[in-house]
Amino acid sequence: AMWTIEKYTITFDTQGGSNVAPITQEYKSVVTAPADPIKEGYTFAGWEPALPETMPLNGSSHTAKWTVNSYEITYVVDGKQYGEKQSCEYGSAITAPVAPTKEGHTFSGWTGIPNTMPAENITVTGGFTVNTYKLTYVIDDEEYKSVGMVYGAEITPEANPEKEHYTFNGWSEIPTTMPANDVTITGSYSYTPT
């Protein structure tokens, strides 16, 4: 009798990873494992079932196993790291940390934060906008002048107002810089008979 050795094929399902070509070779010949497939955000964790050492009768089919990767998110506010770095799995939803606070300012939000974790470490920045508060001058229970001033701005007191037959008694205490709230400064006149 004369025999011809049969060839069989091993096929691969990479479950969304890079393509792995089938292996076709003679029955019982040594099988060399192909290069590991690549899949964004995942690490290849082997074949299921494991590859045979030699070509089996009728070949075989194998499915890739994957382990999802985790990446880090660093939050930066005013040039400094805010809180701890977060570790998130690839593709998972990202939940931003509680917004930071800063006296006299409003947090303007996070820049560069995606909805889901990409396959890389990322840095997300946050910033503040300075708040404006109302500075009001009141004389004898009537508004004399009102201006908007940003937090921390230096306050230059209004000049003493003049009113015929009256003497201005001066302003109540005036802060040096604008605080993080509205301020009302009061003044009054005294009647000066001629």
Side-chain angles (χ1 to χ4, degrees):
M2 296 183 64
W3 301 96
T4 301
I5 195 163
E6 296 284 336
K7 289 186 176 182
Y8 298 102
T9 300
I10 297 175
T11 59
F12 303 95
D13 178 357
T14 62
Q15 299 286 302
S18 59
N19 187 46
V20 173
I23 298 172
T24 300
Q25 59 190 50
E26 293 177 347
Y27 173 62
K28 287 197 175 181
S29 61
V30 175
V31 173
T32 301
D36 293 346
I38 298 169
K39 185 176 180 181
E40 183 179 38
Y42 292 84
T43 298
F44 179 66
W47 297 105
E48 183 65 41
L51 289 181
E53 293 181 5
T54 60
M55 180 59 74
L57 184 66
N58 298 321
S60 58
S61 295
H62 304 272
T63 303
K65 295 185 293 184
W66 298 99
T67 302
V68 66
N69 295 339
S70 290
Y71 301 93
E72 286 189 338
I73 306 175
T74 304
Y75 293 92
V76 175
V77 178
D78 287 343
K80 295 179 183 175
Q81 183 175 319
Y82 174 72
E84 298 295 319
K85 291 182 179 182
Q86 285 183 348
S87 180
C88 291
E89 288 186 348
Y90 169 73
S92 64
I94 296 174
T95 303
V98 174
T101 58
K102 183 177 178 181
E103 185 179 23
H105 294 74
T106 298
F107 184 63
S108 54
W110 298 108
T111 302
I113 187 166
N115 292 327
T116 58
M117 192 65 195
E120 61 184 349
N121 295 333
I122 58 172
T123 298
V124 175
T125 56
F128 291 96
T129 54
V130 65
N131 295 341
T132 298
Y133 299 96
K134 188 175 178 183
L135 176 63
T136 306
Y137 292 88
V138 174
I139 301 173
D140 291 336
D141 297 325
E142 290 186 16
E143 186 175 307
Y144 172 71
K145 185 176 183 179
S146 183
V147 293
M149 295 194 70
V150 296
Y151 169 74
E154 187 175 336
I155 297 175
T156 303
E158 284 292 308
N160 291 346
E162 295 180 8
K163 185 176 180 184
E164 192 174 358
H165 304 297
Y166 288 84
T167 301
F168 183 66
N169 296 325
W171 297 113
S172 60
E173 186 177 341
I174 300 174
T176 314
T177 58
M178 193 66 190
N181 54 269
D182 295 337
V183 174
T184 299
I185 298 168
T186 58
S188 62
Y189 291 109
S190 295
Y191 179 69
T192 309
T194 52

